[in-house]
Amino acid sequence: MSNRCNPQTLFHLFFCYVLFLINIGFFPSLSLGENTSTSSTKETLSSLSLKELFDLEIISVHKTKESFLTTPAAMYVITRDDIDRSGAEMLPDLLIHVPGVTVFQSNRHVVASGIRDDTQALYSTSLPLIDGMPVYSIVTGGPEYHQFYATLPEIERIEVIRGSGGSSWGANASTGVMNIITKNAFDSIGTITEATLGNQNRYTGTIRHGFGTEDHAMVITINGETDDGFDGNTAKTLQYERVLCSNRYDGHVGDLNVMARVGYYSLQSDQEHFMTHKINTGNDYRWLFFGHTDYKLNNGDTLTLQPYYVKSKTNEKSWDQDYDAESFGVEGRFHHVWSSDAETQITTNYSRSALEINSKGQISSYDPKKKTLLLKAVGFHHIQPLVKRLKLEIGSRAETYTTIQDEWVYSPAGRISYEIREDLFIWAASAKSYQLPTYIQYGSKAIVGYNTQTKKYSIQRGNTNLNPEESIDYQFGFRYITDIHLFDITLYYKEIEGQIYVDPLYKVETPGAVSTLFNNYIDTKGHGVEFSWKYSPFESYNSTFNFTYFSKEEEVIKNKELYGKVAPTYAPKYKVSWINQANFPWRTKIFGNLTWVDDYVSENTNGIFADPIYMDSHFRFDVTIQHVFLKNHLTVSLSAKNIFNNDYEWKYTSLTPNPLEVEPSIYLNVKYEF
């Protein structure tokens, strides 16, 4: 990228601005109206006591509203107030301190993450969602955070579920779910402008304008950001420019509630070629529509319809590939309430993704280059009280997918919970779920290295005969809450059969190359403890201490003696975070997050039997000082992140040929609310 803001980026900004003007022109009556709808969520997330805060309704476990305190699942909620005070630049910054979640950077915008599993840059056994819509890559199966179409100012809260979500969300949620819930348009009336200036030539700007009447509201968001990334103490910089515009509508028509979201983003980023190490500019464009409609029947039952459509075009320079993808999906739900404590929900899903990958070089290719991936599913969930305060939940989901030859897999689950007192709750859960093969594991062929002794390239090949990974987990947890304390503890054990890795014994030698194949040949067992203690002795101060213990053992299914020693898991054994937030009388707030991560092993291009790439334990400290001016209209924040942490966090050379050292960031954010 030769220019800081090239003509193409300017065009995309202009396009978003025109969209902004068109919306105001089409809805002049809305912009003159006042929002008279009441919304407790906005107030609750920022001003209520600790006990009231965790009586909030969450939706990500069963897709229906439940109280956080009495939901039988391992959950962590990042509120809007947490986001405002954190000074986070990107979504992964918010996940650093969450128990059971690991996040590492290979460079500024390439992030590896995991929930109760290996921390991997491309693959993931957890499911990322925005307002309940899946946003993972249909090629790699992993969350690509730079492609998320929700900016930080748009997010109301983030609900992180740890443990299998297979019976509710299906395969690819075998270790957890991260649901990003954006602000309702009714809660976004008015205009907010926000700008950030930081080191590494980082500049961001956001404008949000919301308008509405009592029954209809709309909010428009335009966001742009650019930076040089980490430079690794060299002359090379990896410039990054992204433009995003989105439009969200919320409305009430009688018993019908409607949400619709239309979005577009453009990304241009410098990428280092895997073989030549030359820097070239890659492009990524995406258009999307997402809708959510609830219809309340006369008897109190609810019908829900969620359609989505996404079209993307990616020009990827590290591997010389172009990706064209078009996805359509729809989910239908029927929710019946038998009594105040008993309910049943039936769900159906259908999605279709048309994928075309064109390889321009010799590094990688796909067979077939064009593929249509179909997913079909049906599921149910039922909650039944047994005696007072004791509930039993059962559910199951059946689904089929193209990469498993259209065979059906079944994900049953059961949960039992007991509210001992109003302030003490215990629960247990067991679930079976599946992780479906990704398209890389199914149909790819990629050069991942070169042996200087044999003078042959190492190639990894996909396998069209893969089975889904089968996971079973068991969990037990309890929550205890007072006016100033909240204790939340979870213990779990899980087993995975047929985990997919590259099999080094399955070799095919050709002139100048040795190929290995993805295979189901590893079984794993894991267990862990997750603990969160929130302490709020008075309204102006609160503190959170989070602790994670994670252990995982991998074993070859057969012919163990031929493989050698398996490398340790790609995740730290221990992680500890301490978060402090304080409000001062002169309208100043301070946020600090200190996180320590135990030493661990980085993901390795050469597989799990290669010599481990050990990463040292490290501290990370993020701090924000925030002051409010002009009767709460102007907010100025000075933030720093990655203090004490300036070493490598991840060395997965297949994705980033020259991983970069993490660099501390200092940035100033100014927000004005009209």
Side-chain angles (χ1 to χ4, degrees), residues 4 88-90 93 108-109 152 196-204 223-229 240 641 665-668:
R4 164 54 49 199
E89 289 185 291
M90 303 177 291
D93 294 336
R108 187 179 184 93
H109 297 285
L152 292 184
T196 302
L197 169 65
N199 64 332
Q200 299 146 355
N201 285 324
R202 181 164 177 80
Y203 306 94
T204 71
N223 169 267
E225 59 179 301
T226 178
D227 62 61
D228 286 346
Y240 174 97
K641 75 172 187 179
S665 301
I666 300 175
Y667 43 98
L668 178 71

Side-chain angles (χ1 to χ4, degrees), residues 354-479:
L355 179 66
E356 181 176 354
I357 304 176
N358 294 311
S359 301
K360 298 180 179 180
Q362 302 299 317
I363 298 178
S364 64
S365 61
Y366 287 81
D367 183 19
K369 294 181 179 179
K370 292 184 179 181
K371 188 70 174 178
T372 298
L373 304 174
L374 296 177
L375 182 142
K376 292 174 281 187
V378 60
F380 84 96
H381 180 260
H382 179 72
I383 300 177
Q384 180 65 45
L386 301 179
V387 295
K388 186 178 181 180
R389 297 180 181 267
L390 180 65
K391 288 185 181 181
L392 174 67
E393 303 181 12
I394 57 172
S396 184
R397 179 177 166 112
E399 60 193 317
T400 181
Y401 191 57
T402 301
T403 60
I404 56 173
Q405 293 80 47
D406 297 318
E407 293 184 4
W408 287 83
V409 294
Y410 303 90
S411 301
R415 301 175 189 268
I416 190 167
S417 60
Y418 182 50
E419 190 176 359
I420 300 174
R421 302 192 307 253
E422 289 186 355
D423 58 357
L424 182 59
F425 178 76
I426 61 173
W427 60 274
S430 177
K432 180 180 180 180
S433 58
Y434 292 87
Q435 192 68 23
L436 303 177
T438 68
Y439 198 62
I440 279 185
Q441 296 167 337
Y442 178 86
S444 69
K445 173 187 174 184
I447 297 175
V448 296
Y450 181 75
N451 191 317
T452 56
Q453 295 181 340
T454 63
K455 299 188 182 303
K456 290 187 176 183
Y457 288 102
S458 298
I459 297 176
Q460 291 180 358
R461 291 179 179 269
N463 184 351
T464 57
N465 295 314
L466 289 172
N467 296 315
E469 300 176 356
E470 182 180 306
S471 175
I472 300 177
D473 68 13
Y474 306 91
Q475 301 182 83
F476 170 79
F478 79 87
R479 296 187 186 98

Side-chain angles (χ1 to χ4, degrees), residues 4 25 41 74 119 127 177 188 250 359 380 412 463 479 574 579 656:
R4 164 54 49 199
T41 304
T119 308
L127 179 65
V177 172
S188 304
D250 288 275
S359 301
F380 84 96
N463 184 351
R479 296 187 186 98
Y574 297 98
I579 307 161
T656 306

Side-chain angles (χ1 to χ4, degrees), residues 384-664:
Q384 180 65 45
L386 301 179
V387 295
K388 186 178 181 180
R389 297 180 181 267
L390 180 65
K391 288 185 181 181
L392 174 67
E393 303 181 12
I394 57 172
S396 184
R397 179 177 166 112
E399 60 193 317
T400 181
Y401 191 57
T402 301
T403 60
I404 56 173
Q405 293 80 47
D406 297 318
E407 293 184 4
W408 287 83
V409 294
Y410 303 90
S411 301
R415 301 175 189 268
I416 190 167
S417 60
Y418 182 50
E419 190 176 359
I420 300 174
R421 302 192 307 253
E422 289 186 355
D423 58 357
L424 182 59
F425 178 76
I426 61 173
W427 60 274
S430 177
K432 180 180 180 180
S433 58
Y434 292 87
Q435 192 68 23
L436 303 177
T438 68
Y439 198 62
I440 279 185
Q441 296 167 337
Y442 178 86
S444 69
K445 173 187 174 184
I447 297 175
V448 296
Y450 181 75
N451 191 317
T452 56
Q453 295 181 340
T454 63
K455 299 188 182 303
K456 290 187 176 183
Y457 288 102
S458 298
I459 297 176
Q460 291 180 358
R461 291 179 179 269
N463 184 351
T464 57
N465 295 314
L466 289 172
N467 296 315
E469 300 176 356
E470 182 180 306
S471 175
I472 300 177
D473 68 13
Y474 306 91
Q475 301 182 83
F476 170 79
F478 79 87
R479 296 187 186 98
Y480 174 65
I481 191 167
T482 70
D483 290 334
I484 63 173
H485 296 282
L486 169 70
F487 297 96
D488 192 352
I489 301 177
T490 303
L491 296 85
Y492 69 90
Y493 172 81
K494 68 174 183 178
E495 296 181 354
I496 304 175
E497 293 185 5
Q499 197 159 14
I500 300 172
Y501 286 100
V502 174
D503 189 342
L505 294 188
Y506 195 104
K507 293 182 178 179
V508 177
E509 298 212 19
T510 57
V514 177
S515 299
T516 53
L517 196 71
F518 284 101
N519 222 335
N520 300 94
Y521 71 109
I522 298 290
D523 286 348
T524 67
K525 296 179 180 179
H527 63 277
V529 178
E530 295 153 352
F531 169 71
S532 183
W533 170 38
K534 294 182 180 290
Y535 175 59
S536 183
F538 34 86
E539 186 177 348
S540 59
Y541 173 78
N542 65 79
S543 175
T544 302
F545 177 82
N546 294 326
F547 170 82
T548 300
Y549 166 73
F550 171 71
S551 179
K552 179 181 175 183
E553 297 179 356
E554 296 170 319
E555 183 179 6
V556 179
I557 295 175
K558 58 182 179 180
N559 299 326
K560 309 178 187 180
E561 65 279 359
L562 301 179
Y563 285 88
K565 187 177 180 181
V566 182
T569 184
Y570 303 146
K573 197 168 189 176
Y574 297 98
K575 186 185 79 168
V576 179
S577 292
W578 185 32
I579 307 161
N580 287 275
Q581 301 181 21
N583 298 345
F584 294 93
W586 50 91
R587 293 187 294 181
T588 298
K589 301 176 182 179
I590 295 180
F591 167 91
N593 174 18
L594 179 63
T595 298
W596 174 80
V597 176
D598 194 12
D599 53 15
Y600 55 97
V601 171
S602 174
E603 186 178 8
N604 195 331
T605 304
N606 296 316
I608 61 175
F609 296 99
D611 292 335
I613 303 174
Y614 286 100
M615 314 302 294
D616 292 333
S617 61
H618 62 266
F619 285 93
R620 167 174 170 159
F621 181 54
D622 299 350
V623 62
T624 295
I625 301 175
Q626 187 179 95
H627 187 75
V628 179
F629 301 88
L630 303 178
K631 298 181 179 179
N632 296 329
H633 286 286
L634 177 65
T635 304
V636 178
S637 303
L638 180 63
S639 303
K641 75 172 187 179
N642 277 321
I643 304 174
F644 308 140
N645 180 24
N646 59 355
D647 205 347
Y648 295 104
E649 282 193 345
W650 210 243
K651 291 187 176 181
Y652 187 51
T653 57
S654 178
L655 187 64
T656 306
N658 290 310
L660 301 175
E661 294 177 344
V662 173
E663 297 177 2

Side-chain angles (χ1 to χ4, degrees), residues 98-102 114-117 162 492 530 547-548 575:
V98 177
V101 178
T102 48
I115 301 178
R116 292 184 179 177
D117 201 2
R162 308 185 302 274
Y492 69 90
E530 295 153 352
F547 170 82
T548 300
K575 186 185 79 168

